[in-house]
Amino acid sequence: MQVLAPIRSPRWISTRRIFEQKISDLHKCTDPSQLKQVLAVIYKSNLHTDIFIATKLISAFSLCRQMRSAVTIHNQIRQPDAQAYNVLIRAHVRNSQPSQAFAAFSQMQSYGVRPNVFTYPFLLKAFSGLEIVAATHAHVEKFGFVEDILVLNSLIEAYSKCGLMGVCAAKKLFSLMVQRDHVSYNCMISGLAKAGQLTEARELFDEMPERDTVSWNAILDGYVKSGEVTVAFQLFQSMPLRDSVSWSTMVLGYRKAGNMEMARNLFDEMPVKNMVAWTIIISGYAEKGLLKEAMRLYNEMEEAGLKPDEGTIISILGACADSGMVGLGRRVHDSVKRNRFSFSIRVSNALVNMYVKCGCLDEALSIFHGMKERNSVSWSTMIHGLGLHGYGEKAVQLFSRMTREGFAPNKVTFLGILSACSHAGLVDEGIRYFYRMQRDYGVIPEIEHYGCMVDLLGRGGRLMEAFGLAHNMPFEPNDKICGALLAACRKHYAVTRAEDELKQLVQLDLKNTGNLSMLSDIYAATGDWTSVAGARLCMKNMSSEKPSGASSIELGDEYYEFTMMDRSHPKSDMIYQMIDQLGEHLRKIGYVHTASC
DNA sequence: CTAGGGTTAG
């Protein structure tokens, strides 16, 4: 970094003014080791207690995820003022540490430092949840900032992120505002659009005195999020000014509608392609299983001199995980290493998840164990991953290690450990976790937890308990629950015993081909071939409405996806011949195929 | 202070 070049020895620094000049550009420094050098020089000159210099340093360290240094510097300020706290709060928010942000705010109050109007916008960014936003609102009233447009805009934004109730509160606040600027309108429009209240958002948009591009983008996003690409596109075409946000929103809209051609056309036409647009288009191809295109664009992006940012990496890795594209995943992993993009927790989590989902458990484990810092997502992902690969005992061990290291398991962690127990046949262990979850950790079971439990009991052969739980749980059974019950019946040949209950449950989701396929297996096991034919016919009729599950494999540079009875491959005749030969061979060596499973 | 992509759950 050029700014730092002149600061070579303490001799250069005679006065604080020189430092001020050098330090005003400090936030441009993205290399932690360079920052540490600067810090050393500053310590020598004993200027680290200076508020101005310290706040600059906190900002700079927080931008390259060096929060420990940022906090240390803050603690050494002699008499921190509101600005010093604001910077610290923003630093925590930037690094996804909402509870630390709140802690800083509390500390500020306990030291009697009065917040200013800039405190709340930062603070509110850290919060999610109606209660905490409402509490902050009360605080704002107590300290007499209710007239400030900056604070009110932030409150509207924060409220409208809290679901329908929050949007109501935001509307109320908005209507009571004496003065509104374009930001107030934009916050409100975006909030309404995100809550799906498009008509109201549109009305507000139409009545706005002045529209800049941000308002258009907010309403555009609303239409895209609710699946109205055509309306969005009409709006897009009538916009007076389109920026990269408008373009990328439209590209996302078409990707979501499954229209990658149109998404690609728009992407190609984009005057300035930024990281977000690249991310959307590459993840789109990856999500659809179009490995070559995804790979080609990824290379093209890097050749254009663009370095993927954290969002890009996380997004593409997520798409790789969903489609099993370990090749692209490795490619992304390589560029993370090459660009010395320090492995943030979220990037590492995304990598662990990708390797787990692509079947590379060893690589997932090695990244997980190499992480300097972990959060509950890291633990949950790894626990679930171990379970997925059949290592139930290891998952249980990791769960204990997680709690020993002071991480509170959340509802997702329990889904992971419950499914791990289920896969490994650890029935009693699983039941214990289900109770501990509620008693020791106050996690209230949701329908997914009941799904895991039904699966756990069912697989373990405790069918009646499984059915009992499905009947008595405080939720209506869904297709997942039915699926778990059907799988259990199929596995344990408990056809007649469960049939009545089953029929009742199956009514719920006849559209799920996976469940129907299991049902037909069960009929086959009892020799009820008429019902088998019925179920198969039903599936065939449905196949036009809903795609059935597909499997995929990556061989060399090619990625193949295939479904049941798939004949799309040019060599499918040969493939099926090979399958027949394999079957013949298996029969010869004594394998008996059963119609059930 | 306002707009776009983004890690854990069958």
Side-chain angles (χ1 to χ4, degrees), chain A residues 3 31 133 136 140 170 220 250 266 318 323 327 428 430 439 479 482 545 575 591:
Chain A
V3 209
D31 184 355
V133 176
T136 314
V140 164
L220 205 62
M250 279 321 300
L266 278 169
S323 55
D428 292 317
R439 195 188 53 223
D479 59 327
C482 291
E545 295 168 23
I575 293 170
Y591 172 78

Side-chain angles (χ1 to χ4, degrees), chain A residues 164-466:
Chain A
L164 280 179
M165 290 282 283
V167 177
C168 283
K171 275 197 268 190
K172 201 175 156 195
L173 209 61
F174 182 79
S175 68
L176 290 173
M177 277 172 92
V178 188
Q179 254 193 345
R180 300 177 193 125
D181 63 4
H182 65 283
V183 179
S184 329
Y185 273 96
N186 291 342
C187 287
M188 200 61 240
I189 290 170
S190 155
L192 287 165
K194 280 197 169 60
Q197 305 186 4
L198 273 172
T199 328
E200 274 185 80
R202 187 60 190 260
E203 275 168 22
L204 214 59
F205 176 77
D206 289 335
E207 75 169 53
M208 257 182 99
E210 248 181 89
R211 290 189 285 261
D212 58 13
T213 313
V214 178
S215 332
W216 287 85
N217 289 342
I219 197 104
L220 205 62
D221 180 52
Y223 282 114
V224 159
K225 291 267 152 69
S226 47
E228 307 229 33
V229 215
T230 325
V231 185
F233 192 56
Q234 281 164 0
L235 216 67
F236 175 77
Q237 282 174 315
S238 59
M239 282 173 79
L241 271 173
R242 286 175 281 265
D243 63 4
S244 55
V245 177
S246 334
W247 284 90
S248 47
T249 305
M250 279 321 300
V251 175
L252 181 70
Y254 281 107
R255 172 186 139 186
K256 277 191 174 157
N259 189 347
M260 279 309 284
E261 262 176 59
M262 191 60 189
R264 181 59 184 270
N265 286 342
L266 278 169
F267 176 77
D268 287 340
E269 279 177 43
M270 260 183 98
V272 183
K273 297 177 179 58
N274 61 354
M275 274 323 300
V276 176
W278 283 98
T279 306
I280 295 170
I281 199 83
I282 296 171
S283 308
Y285 281 124
E287 194 176 65
K288 276 219 150 189
L290 298 163
L291 175 68
K292 273 193 167 171
E293 205 50 34
M295 205 73 135
R296 181 154 54 218
L297 279 170
Y298 190 82
N299 291 332
E300 216 177 282
M301 175 189 78
E302 288 204 320
E303 277 158 21
L306 286 161
K307 281 184 187 169
D309 63 14
E310 194 185 33
T312 308
I313 286 163
I314 291 171
S315 172
I316 299 176
L317 286 176
C320 290
D322 289 342
S323 55
M325 281 191 188
V326 72
L328 181 59
R330 284 218 171 87
R331 176 78 183 74
V332 175
H333 188 181
D334 282 342
S335 55
V336 172
K337 286 191 252 181
R338 207 180 41 245
N339 288 337
R340 289 180 60 233
F341 189 106
S342 55
F343 287 75
S344 72
I345 294 191
R346 294 164 108 196
V347 165
S348 304
N349 290 349
L351 279 167
V352 170
N353 180 46
M354 185 274 294
Y355 280 124
V356 158
K357 297 287 162 61
C358 293
C360 314
L361 185 66
D362 288 341
E363 276 152 296
L365 278 168
S366 108
I367 293 172
F368 177 80
H369 289 304
M371 286 170 77
K372 283 195 206 87
E373 255 192 307
R374 304 185 186 93
N375 61 16
S376 30
V377 175
S378 330
W379 293 96
S380 304
T381 309
M382 203 60 249
I383 288 169
H384 177 249
L386 285 167
L388 215 58
H389 287 260
Y391 297 100
E393 304 276 2
K394 289 230 158 65
V396 167
Q397 285 165 14
L398 201 66
F399 184 92
S400 336
R401 218 186 109 190
M402 171 184 184
T403 51
R404 268 204 311 277
E405 293 193 14
F407 287 90
N410 61 22
K411 59 182 184 181
V412 184
T413 320
F414 280 105
L415 285 173
I417 193 72
L418 288 176
S419 81
C421 289
S422 173
H423 286 300
L426 303 169
V427 183
D428 292 317
E429 191 95 35
I431 294 171
R432 269 199 295 279
Y433 277 116
F434 190 63
Y435 287 114
R436 273 182 68 192
M437 166 174 109
Q438 301 167 65
R439 195 188 53 223
D440 300 342
Y441 299 98
V443 176
I444 297 158
E446 292 174 10
I447 189 156
E448 288 84 359
H449 296 101
Y450 282 100
C452 284
M453 288 308 287
V454 168
D455 190 52
L456 176 95
L457 291 165
R459 274 178 206 254
R462 292 156 73 160
L463 275 181
M464 279 311 154
E465 285 168 78

